[in-house]
Amino acid sequence: MNGLTNNSMRMLERSMEFLWAKQTALLDNVSNAETPNYKPKLVTFEEDFQAQLEAADSGKNKATRKAMRNTIENASWNVEEIGETTRMDDNGVNITEQMTELVRNAYQMQYVYQSINSDLSALRTAIGG
């Protein structure tokens, strides 16, 4: 396993994929805030992903690293429609909530980008001497 494909870097890559899926759903929700009968989408992955990683982390040997790698590779997210509505047109989008989640998601994406950049900077330093 090299520095570009270790479990830490792959987990950061998967996190970006998950956050991008969440960002897409949030943007769909905001863009359909005035569409009658639109049910907002909710993307979840954090709790399931964390539980799967904790289950795979039973020790610090080579088999555990492989189990962690398989967990990271096979992790997925869930997209659900939120069924409750409070508006007369049956649109369930709460624009304030969605915009708040967009900002929260953007901060999470920024953190992951910074982590990836930090790992690559360390690798560049190690290569360059």
Side-chain angles (χ1 to χ4, degrees):
M1 213 177 286
N2 63 40
L4 293 175
T5 60
N6 63 20
N7 283 348
S8 176
M9 183 58 79
R10 187 61 185 134
M11 188 162 61
L12 289 170
E13 290 173 19
R14 292 294 289 169
S15 294
M16 279 309 303
E17 292 170 10
F18 297 152
L19 290 168
W20 189 256
K22 186 174 182 179
Q23 186 85 353
T24 301
L26 289 166
L27 290 171
D28 283 348
N29 293 344
V30 169
S31 66
N32 286 294
E34 297 301 322
T35 304
N37 299 318
Y38 180 80
K39 305 295 184 236
K41 299 173 194 158
L42 175 66
V43 176
T44 58
F45 60 87
E46 291 132 336
E47 295 83 15
D48 290 340
F49 191 42
Q50 182 176 357
Q52 291 170 2
L53 288 173
E54 288 172 358
D57 186 27
S58 60
K60 299 294 180 198
N61 56 33
K62 193 170 190 168
T64 301
R65 286 194 303 269
K66 187 171 182 163
M68 293 289 280
R69 177 64 167 220
N70 288 337
T71 299
I72 293 167
E73 293 294 330
N74 296 322
S76 63
W77 57 88
N78 300 318
V79 179
E80 305 167 14
E81 282 189 356
I82 303 170
E84 62 184 60
T85 61
T86 57
R87 293 175 26 181
M88 299 215 19
D89 66 356
D90 270 343
N91 182 304
V93 176
N94 178 332
I95 196 72
T96 304
E97 181 181 285
Q98 296 299 308
M99 294 302 286
T100 302
E101 279 301 307
L102 273 170
V103 170
R104 179 179 171 271
N105 199 63
Y107 277 119
Q108 287 178 318
M109 290 175 79
Q110 182 180 14
Y111 175 76
V112 173
Y113 279 137
Q114 287 173 345
S115 296
I116 291 170
N117 188 43
S118 176
D119 286 357
L120 292 178
S121 292
L123 185 60
R124 257 191 318 269
T125 300
I127 290 171

